[in-house]
Amino acid sequence: MAGGLVALLDDVAVLARAAAASIDDIGAAAAKAGAKAAGVVVDDAAVTPQYVRSLAAERELPIIKRIAVGSLRNKFLIILPAVLLLSQFVPWLLTPILMLGGAYLCYEGAEKVWAKIAHHGASGAGEEQVQDETTLVSGAVRTDLILSAEIMVISLNEVIDEAFWSRLVILAVVAVVITVLVYGVVALIVKMDDAGLRLSQRSGAVATFGRGLVRAMPAVLTVLTVVGTAAMLWVGGHILLLGTNELNLHFLYEAVHHVEVAAHDAAGVLGGLVGWLVNTVASAILGLIVGAFVVLVVTLTLHRRTSKAVAAGAATRPDGTIPGQPSRAAQRRDAPADRAPRG
């Protein structure tokens, strides 16, 4: 009996070591996959604060919480099942779907650029207008869907050789960690001015630092808005650049890569940074071009159709008649008496 117990304990120890090794492998794979998606994580953290700029201070954290919950819902109910099933059965569909998401990001970024240019001389009241919270959260969650899809697909590419269930666990870990990281950073950014206000009520250097923090935060949020718009164009353009190469349309990718390599070789010790900047700028330019084209198409179709419908509704009187058209009573009154009265 003692020998059997020792053998059982040995088996348990072996299983425990195997489980620990498996957990270590999953943690290492999740860290590797998350590191590859770090650039998109930075973009996500830069994009999100612009959605709460015009909100009252007490509504900022609840809205960020709602967006974070929507982000988790995106990842676990839509993106994770989709990428796992597609990678298992129709992996060739991942690239076209991701490119559609990239085109949407380009549209979002180009639309913001156009709105800034078109209303450059305006007083800015439109920007500070209090938005409906449900609409605001919906817009933020839609943008998060694209950025989260990019994060998950990049992570998937790093663990594509793992077994199905290992992929599932690794991507689930990445989804949770990145969501907590992104929206934790966003919460810190948007509440920094409140922290500065509390610090300013103390004395000495702490109060001076707090006042400086309060004065700096509007400029920081403005910079983040610009960075967020640029990030949309950069990430969207980069998705399209890589996607065209994956679909065997190599000319665009090879042209950018050629310039990137030339800049890398010419910059010496700063070659890595310069090469990355060249690729980033090229991706952003591509994103701006594609986004501007989508904005133009949407403006000429959907917006024009909406404007016509609004104009038609405004041109109709409450009694159903159209301005310039006499009412039925007036028509009867002004009609020629070409028939003799009855009786």
Side-chain angles (χ1 to χ4, degrees):
M1 181 181 295
L5 180 60
V6 171
L8 177 61
L9 292 176
D10 285 342
D11 291 342
V12 170
V14 169
L15 290 174
R17 284 195 296 271
S22 177
I23 291 172
D24 288 342
D25 292 342
I26 288 173
K32 180 182 177 183
K36 287 290 185 180
V40 187
V41 172
V42 172
D43 300 335
D44 206 353
V47 168
T48 306
Q50 64 184 294
Y51 288 101
V52 296
R53 283 195 65 182
S54 58
L55 295 178
E58 65 273 10
R59 297 302 305 157
E60 290 173 345
L61 289 182
I63 291 299
I64 291 172
K65 180 181 177 181
R66 288 177 62 184
I67 297 173
V69 170
S71 177
L72 285 174
R73 193 181 301 119
N74 283 340
K75 292 180 177 72
F76 280 97
L77 299 184
I78 301 174
I79 300 170
L80 186 56
V83 298
L84 285 173
L85 291 174
L86 290 174
S87 66
Q88 191 73 16
F89 299 109
V90 280
W92 56 270
L93 266 180
L94 283 173
T95 297
I97 291 174
L98 200 55
M99 290 180 72
L100 287 175
Y104 177 78
L105 274 182
C106 295
Y107 163 73
E108 286 260 306
E111 188 180 42
K112 292 180 185 302
V113 172
W114 172 246
K116 188 68 176 176
I117 295 172
H119 301 91
H120 183 71
S123 61
E127 283 189 60
E128 301 300 325
Q129 181 179 355
V130 177
Q131 303 180 60
D132 173 64
E133 290 187 2
T134 301
T135 303
L136 186 148
V137 171
S138 299
V141 171
R142 280 196 302 272
T143 300
D144 174 89
L145 179 64
I146 308 302
L147 293 170
S148 294
E150 172 72 352
I151 290 169
M152 299 301 283
V153 171
I154 290 174
S155 303
L156 175 65
N157 288 336
E158 292 301 309
V159 296
I160 194 67
D161 295 329
E162 299 284 341
F164 179 84
W165 293 110
S166 294
R167 268 182 283 159
L168 173 62
V169 174
I170 291 168
L171 292 178
V173 171
V174 169
V176 172
V177 170
I178 285 181
T179 302
V180 171
L181 175 64
V182 167
Y183 291 98
V185 170
V186 170
L188 286 175
I189 290 172
V190 300
K191 299 308 291 182
M192 202 69 76
D193 52 350
D194 292 341
L197 186 60
R198 291 187 179 182
L199 291 176
S200 67
Q201 296 172 354
R202 300 189 178 183
S203 58
V206 174
T208 303
F209 175 76
R211 287 191 293 270
L213 198 59
V214 171
R215 286 194 296 269
M217 283 314 296
V220 170
L221 290 176
T222 299
V223 169
L224 282 175
T225 300
V226 175
V227 170
T229 301
M232 288 180 181
L233 297 173
W234 164 36
V235 175
H238 194 64
I239 293 172
L240 296 177
L241 189 64
L242 294 179
T244 55
N245 191 54
E246 290 285 335
L247 296 177
N248 296 319
L249 302 173
H250 304 296
F251 66 96
L252 193 58
Y253 179 86
E254 288 178 352
V256 173
H257 183 67
H258 177 73
V259 177
E260 179 183 354
V261 170
H264 179 279
D265 295 340
V269 293
L270 296 177
L273 175 62
V274 173
W276 177 83
L277 285 174
V278 168
N279 188 287
T280 298
V281 171
S283 298
I285 292 173
L286 175 62
L288 183 60
I289 293 171
V290 172
F293 176 76
V294 178
V295 168
L296 179 63
V297 171
V298 171
T299 302
L300 293 177
T301 56
L302 180 62
H303 289 177
R304 178 172 292 182
R305 196 177 304 128
T306 303
S307 298
K308 287 182 178 180
V310 170
T316 304
R317 289 173 175 166
D319 61 358
T321 62
I322 300 175
Q325 177 185 15
S327 64
R328 290 186 177 88
Q331 289 175 356
R332 286 195 298 269
R333 184 179 64 248
D334 298 335
D338 56 349
R339 290 187 299 175
R342 293 182 180 177

